[in-house]
Amino acid sequence: MRNISKLTILTMLLLAMTTSMSNVAIVTTLPHLKEYFTNINNIEFYSRLMLTLPSLVIALLAPILGHFIFSFGKKRSVLIALFFFSFFGTAGLYLNSIESLLASRALFGLCVATLMIVSTSLVGDYFKEHDRHKFMGYQSAFMAIGGVFFVVGGGFLSDINWRFPFGIYFIGLVLLPFVILFLKEKKIESTQEELSIDIGKNMLVVYFLAFIYMLLFFILPTQIPFLLIEKFEASGKMAGTVIATAFFCNALGAIAFSKLKKYLNFIAIYLIGITLMALGFSLVGVINHIYFFFITSPILGFAGGIMMTNATAWMLSKTSHEKRVKSSGYFTSAIFLGQFLSPIVFHPFLDFLEIQDFFLYIGLSLFFVSFIAFVFLRFKTKIKQK
């Protein structure tokens, strides 16, 4: 990291931050849509679609974008994506139909996908091994802390007017000069070791585990607010504070990853994350006072920080420079597919289970899975030693 300009590092951190704000900046605006679009049937469904539609677009189109970005160039792709990130992101300031708002969010998803693919692949271009893991910890921490500010800022602006949070997306235009001046596309010759990397089945496993991580982790923002407000009668301010503690500890978990990677491999770190997630969900299932959420949310946030950083580093370690952009595209697709499907996959369980029991069963199931995985890996290691 010593040979890289601090302004280049800052630019890369800011680019990563834009991907974290794709949904959270407008989350507090959604309830106000019901008040504004009083004549629209199913407006509650459409308001939720404002959040999930970009994720669906990203999941479907990220692999295609990865191929396009590789041909078109990373820097040029980022400049175009940032401009339209602001153009489509701020459309809520002036659009007056729910159809046009949804269309703008879908096109906005294309921009977010481009920014995420490039920011992920650039980490692989600029950093090697331990420096890469260290930077990714800082990057994830920057994204998590940025998420806290965007949630709070969006909440403050939505209290003034439901349209104002969309103005936050003007940050894309602010970043354009940083990218023009400080972001350089590195020409890297792949080493013989990189060229020999097999990214077939091994990479599919990484994509699958990244998908499973997000499927589970997205239970936190999609289900816990309902538990807090409906069962524990929390105020919006209290619910937001609880979620913010998870964001903050997500940053700490991301930073802790580089320390863990010195002693453990990717699979072991993934299992640590799953076990911590199991602990967090299980505790949510048995607590009887709202203030105990300030114990469970940090555990879940910390686990998510470790797992997300681990999954990204794992993916980058298994691909060469030539295939890094395309691999990042498929990885981005897996992450956002998990995000989009999480509420859909777990909704049937919530039809049969009381919401707190749902968290307990999820936690216990994850404990069982992590135990079986640990036993299997120990058995596999012993066979290899013989």
Side-chain angles (χ1 to χ4, degrees), residues 350-367:
L350 290 163
D351 281 342
F352 294 99
L353 295 170
E354 193 269 332
I355 190 166
Q356 200 166 9
D357 290 337
F358 164 76
F359 278 99
L360 179 60
Y361 286 127
I362 289 290
L364 293 176
S365 299
L366 290 180
F367 270 127

Side-chain angles (χ1 to χ4, degrees), residues 191-347:
T191 63
Q192 193 62 39
E193 183 182 352
E194 281 182 313
L195 292 171
S196 65
I197 292 175
D198 176 18
I199 47 177
K201 292 181 180 179
N202 289 336
M203 190 62 84
L204 290 177
V205 170
V206 178
Y207 295 151
F208 176 73
L209 291 177
F211 166 76
I212 293 297
Y213 148 72
M214 187 53 77
L215 193 74
L216 294 168
F217 183 73
F218 219 62
I219 291 174
L220 179 63
T222 56
Q223 306 301 341
I224 279 188
F226 291 96
L227 177 60
L228 285 165
I229 293 169
E230 293 175 2
K231 181 165 184 176
F232 289 88
E233 299 179 347
S235 65
K237 182 179 178 181
M238 174 63 80
T241 305
V242 169
I243 299 297
T245 60
F247 269 111
F248 178 75
C249 290
N250 189 277
L252 297 180
I255 293 171
F257 165 75
S258 64
K259 306 290 183 186
L260 290 171
K261 189 63 187 71
K262 290 180 181 178
Y263 308 102
L264 301 169
N265 60 27
F266 292 115
I267 295 175
I269 295 173
Y270 190 90
L271 286 178
I272 288 173
I274 284 287
T275 304
L276 286 173
M277 203 173 278
L279 176 63
F281 283 140
S282 299
L283 289 174
V284 168
V286 297
I287 57 179
N288 55 14
H289 197 286
I290 192 168
Y291 288 108
F292 287 124
F293 280 97
F294 288 105
I295 297 174
T296 59
S297 282
I299 293 172
L300 289 168
F302 187 84
I306 291 174
M307 292 180 74
M308 181 62 190
T309 314
N310 181 64
T312 310
W314 198 351
M315 182 274 293
L316 289 174
S317 73
K318 287 186 172 295
T319 183
S320 63
H321 171 63
E322 283 81 2
K323 297 183 179 180
R324 194 167 288 142
V325 173
K326 297 173 185 177
S327 298
S328 297
Y330 289 108
F331 180 79
T332 299
S333 179
I335 289 290
F336 279 91
L337 186 63
Q339 191 177 111
F340 176 75
L341 289 178
S342 181
I344 297 172
V345 168
F346 293 113
H347 181 73

